[in-house]
């Protein structure tokens, strides 16, 4: 049953989030109507998409059901770089009210655009994100996502204001000030990357502040993969409930999917973003429940429609009912990407596997890095992990035993023998945004 009255709905519910509870038939009808419109818009205004449709003998009229989506061509990240900066826009610049862009560290930046209608959709899905996390009017929320060309800060900001929360737009960095504001403003919830929040917990302890003593009760974390073990560490050390959110700039930014109170997968806001899971090798669409690469189609984005965008994120869709009552399908949390796989001695390894192995060992801290080197023509993996100060003493045997247990845990998870180096607390680099976990030095060690 849809709850229409704010006063009766309880904390975290907002009338806009009624879209989360649409009956399946009504949702599918809405999706098809929006899909037909967005395909027609892209065909009419985006030359690259029209050329690919024509090459397949397809027109917008070819879309008669949701199943027909699988006949359309994929869009990939290279398409955004190849048409840089504005080649995929479906709206004239006179209608564009916002541009965001990636950092461009691996080439030309990816540029994304928004009309005023797109900003309204973005605000509404972020409102639903925060409602799912139990954040509502009257809450004070510290937004430590970066502002600027990165979509995280402003995306979260507009959603928080829309739900009626008080926003503290601190952005990233200046960790001492972050801790001061958490305490002095009596902040109830925080938005950040999980790796930066771990750093914030650590710095607060150095300043004599235990976050568990503050009114802080919830964290909304995203922009990078994080494991269930990382969530457990955050919740235990900060005394909060940690919610995972998912998004990407190419689609809209944060707000594509979000966890609810059940913390059992992320509900995809599929009235605006239609999800598919494909076999990353063949491109074949897989049924719900099977793991593969997530593909997303924007159903309402006007400035820059994305049709069947290959995210490279590995997940699966869950159609079974959720305890929260939402009818939206869920996606399993993204722990790895098809393009972050490392091949060492013929074995496929993902950073998330290393993190899970490390955090399973008592004494290991959640700060680590993976260094790839090449010796005698062979790739080698080295793992550097911070450990508690009690291990840096005269008890060399205790350090060796811990090193052995960490190496054995990695072996059990990955099947690889790796070199493990124990590092003192605070000695590894910290990130104020997305964490850098893999340092590839193979070009330097040839």
């Amino acid at each position: 049953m849809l709850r229409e009255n704010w006063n009766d709905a309880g904390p975290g519910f907002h009338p806009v989030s009624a879209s989360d509870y649409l009956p399946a038939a009504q949702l599918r009808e809405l999706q098809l109507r929006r899909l037909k419109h967005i395909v027609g818009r892209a065909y009419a205004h985006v030359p690259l998409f029209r050329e690919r449709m024509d090459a397949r003998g397809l027109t917008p009229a070819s879309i008669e059901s949701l199943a027909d989506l699988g006949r359309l061509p994929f869009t990939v990240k290279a398409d955004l770089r190849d048409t840089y900066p504005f080649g995929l826009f479906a709206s004239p610049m006179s209608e564009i009210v916002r541009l965001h862009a990636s950092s461009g560290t691996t080439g030309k930046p990816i540029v994304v655009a928004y009309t005023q209608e797109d900003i309204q959709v973005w605000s509404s899905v972020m409102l639903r994100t925060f409602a799912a996390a139990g954040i509502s009017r009257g809450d004070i929320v510290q937004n430590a996502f970066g502002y600027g060309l990165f979509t995280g800060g402003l995306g979260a900001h507009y959603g928080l204001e829309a739900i009626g929360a008080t926003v503290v737009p601190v952005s990233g960095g200046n960790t001492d000030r972050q801790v001061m504001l958490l305490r002095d403003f009596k902040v109830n919830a925080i938005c950040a990357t999980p790796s930066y929040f771990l750093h914030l917990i650590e710095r607060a302890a150095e300043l004599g502040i235990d976050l568990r003593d503050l009114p802080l009760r919830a964290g909304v974390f995203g922009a990078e993969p994080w494991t269930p073990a990382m969530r457990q560490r955050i919740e235990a050390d900060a005394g909060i409930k940690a919610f995972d959110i998912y998004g990407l700039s190419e689609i809209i930014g944060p707000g594509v999917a979000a966890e609810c109170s059940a913390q059992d997968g992320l509900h995809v806001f599929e009235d605006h973003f239609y999800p598919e899971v494909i076999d990353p090798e063949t491109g074949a669409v897989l049924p719900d429940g099977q793991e593969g690469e997530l593909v997303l189609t924007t159903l309402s984005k006007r400035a820059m429609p994305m049709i069947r965008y290959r995210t490279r994120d590995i997940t699966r869709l869950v159609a079974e009912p959720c305890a929260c009552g939402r009818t939206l399908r869920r996606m399993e949390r993204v722990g790895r990407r098809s393009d972050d796989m490392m091949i060492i001695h013929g074995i496929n390894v993902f950073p998330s596997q290393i993190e899970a192995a490390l955090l399973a060992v008592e004494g290991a801290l959640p700060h680590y890095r993976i260094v790839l080197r090449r010796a005698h023509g062979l790739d080698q993996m080295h793992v550097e992990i911070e450990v508690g100060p009690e291990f840096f003493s005269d008890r060399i045997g205790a350090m060796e035993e811990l090193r052995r247990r960490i190496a054995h845990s990695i072996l059990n998870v990955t099947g690889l023998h790796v070199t493990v180096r124990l590092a003192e607390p605070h000695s590894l680099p910290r990130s104020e945004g997305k964490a850098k976990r893999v340092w590839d030095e193979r070009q330097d060690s040839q």
Side-chain angles (χ1 to χ4, degrees):
M1 178 182 295
L2 298 184
R3 296 175 292 183
E4 301 292 348
N5 191 308
W6 166 268
N7 295 322
D8 296 335
F13 186 82
H14 189 283
V16 174
S17 63
S19 301
D20 296 353
Y21 302 88
L22 288 176
Q26 187 177 340
L27 176 60
R28 301 295 173 244
E29 180 184 348
L30 176 63
Q31 288 173 324
L32 180 58
R33 184 168 69 250
R34 287 179 170 173
L35 176 63
K36 288 180 175 180
H37 174 77
I38 210 67
V39 168
R41 183 176 180 82
Y43 187 86
H45 299 292
V46 183
L48 178 65
F49 183 69
R50 182 169 58 251
E51 291 166 9
R52 290 178 175 175
M53 287 275 286
D54 290 344
R56 294 186 174 212
L58 299 173
T59 69
S62 304
I63 304 300
E64 298 178 348
S65 69
L66 290 174
D68 290 329
L69 180 61
R71 302 169 60 193
L72 299 180
F74 291 116
T75 306
V76 296
K77 183 171 287 190
D79 294 332
L80 284 86
R81 293 200 171 108
D82 292 345
T83 57
Y84 173 88
F86 305 146
L88 294 184
F89 290 8
S91 296
M93 289 304 297
S94 61
E95 297 178 7
I96 303 296
V97 300
R98 178 91 64 80
L99 295 176
H100 281 281
S102 69
S103 61
T105 55
T106 57
K108 287 184 177 179
I110 288 170
V111 179
V112 293
Y114 303 79
T115 65
Q116 190 60 56
E117 295 89 345
D118 295 335
I119 295 293
Q120 292 169 357
V121 169
W122 195 10
S123 297
S124 73
V125 292
M126 285 306 297
L127 182 158
R128 292 158 67 180
T129 294
F130 293 120
I135 296 169
S136 61
R137 182 180 303 278
D139 281 326
I140 302 172
V141 185
Q142 190 157 313
N143 186 10
F145 282 130
Y147 283 67
L149 289 177
F150 173 58
T151 56
L154 284 171
H157 185 109
Y158 280 94
L160 288 166
E161 287 191 341
I163 208 168
T166 300
V167 189
V168 183
V170 67
S171 193
N174 202 334
T175 305
D176 286 5
R177 182 177 62 175
Q178 300 261 7
V179 174
M180 178 188 72
L181 296 179
L182 282 173
R183 179 193 60 197
D184 295 350
F185 287 7
K186 296 180 171 52
V187 169
N188 308 120
I190 188 168
C191 307
T193 61
S195 57
Y196 181 65
F197 186 68
L198 281 168
H199 176 47
L200 197 153
I201 295 172
E202 181 181 65
R203 181 58 183 154
E206 293 171 357
L207 296 172
I209 297 172
D210 188 336
L211 297 189
R212 291 171 294 189
D213 297 332
L214 304 184
L216 191 67
R217 72 169 193 275
V220 176
F221 303 113
E224 64 188 23
W226 52 306
T227 61
M230 186 74 81
R231 187 216 296 271
Q232 292 168 9
R233 183 70 65 96
I234 286 173
E235 291 188 334
D237 290 353
I240 65 173
K241 196 162 187 177
F243 295 92
D244 193 10
I245 63 170
Y246 176 81
L248 57 166
S249 297
E250 300 93 314
I251 299 301
I252 200 166
V256 173
E259 279 188 321
C260 63
S261 57
Q263 293 179 305
D264 187 22
L266 293 82
H267 291 279
V268 182
F269 298 119
E270 52 180 323
D271 51 325
H272 292 292
F273 316 107
Y274 191 85
E276 302 171 273
V277 169
I278 65 168
D279 182 315
E281 299 297 328
T282 68
V285 178
L286 302 175
D288 289 349
Q290 287 195 22
E291 186 180 80
E293 179 186 341
L294 180 66
V295 172
L296 292 167
T297 296
T298 59
L299 298 179
S300 52
K301 188 85 180 285
R302 294 181 58 80
M304 192 172 159
M306 283 284 107
I307 309 296
R308 304 198 79 201
Y309 184 76
R310 295 189 61 163
T311 69
R312 302 296 180 183
D313 291 325
I314 303 299
T315 186
R316 67 185 184 98
L317 294 175
V318 179
E320 287 77 17
C322 180
C324 75
R326 286 174 174 79
T327 54
L328 302 169
R329 282 180 291 175
R330 287 165 287 154
M331 55 180 275
E332 237 176 29
R333 84 163 39 221
V334 173
R336 59 192 177 94
R337 294 172 50 85
S338 62
D339 56 0
D340 71 2
M341 183 178 71
M342 303 168 286
I343 302 177
I344 307 295
H345 300 167
I347 297 175
N348 298 343
V349 186
F350 291 90
S352 58
Q353 293 176 295
I354 302 297
E355 179 175 296
L358 293 174
L359 295 184
V361 178
E362 185 176 355
L365 300 178
H367 303 290
Y368 67 94
R369 66 178 181 176
I370 301 163
V371 182
L372 303 180
R373 298 190 179 110
R374 183 166 291 141
H376 308 295
L378 297 176
D379 290 339
Q380 307 287 340
M381 178 184 290
H382 301 255
V383 176
E384 301 174 355
I385 172 76
E386 290 185 12
V387 298
E390 66 272 17
F391 291 96
F392 282 88
S393 64
D394 295 332
R395 297 171 56 220
I396 301 299
M399 290 183 62
E400 288 302 320
E401 172 60 18
L402 179 59
R403 193 200 320 268
R404 186 197 65 78
R405 286 193 287 119
I406 291 173
H408 184 67
S409 182
I410 295 173
L411 175 63
N412 282 342
V413 171
T414 68
L416 279 175
H417 292 277
V418 304
T419 301
V420 175
R421 182 180 77 84
L422 304 185
E424 294 186 18
H426 318 300
S427 62
L428 295 183
R430 300 292 193 265
S431 172
E432 295 179 352
K434 295 185 180 183
K436 181 179 180 180
R437 298 300 192 192
V438 181
W439 301 66
D440 194 341
E441 299 177 356
R442 286 176 290 189
Q443 292 297 324
D444 301 330
S445 55
Q446 294 236 5

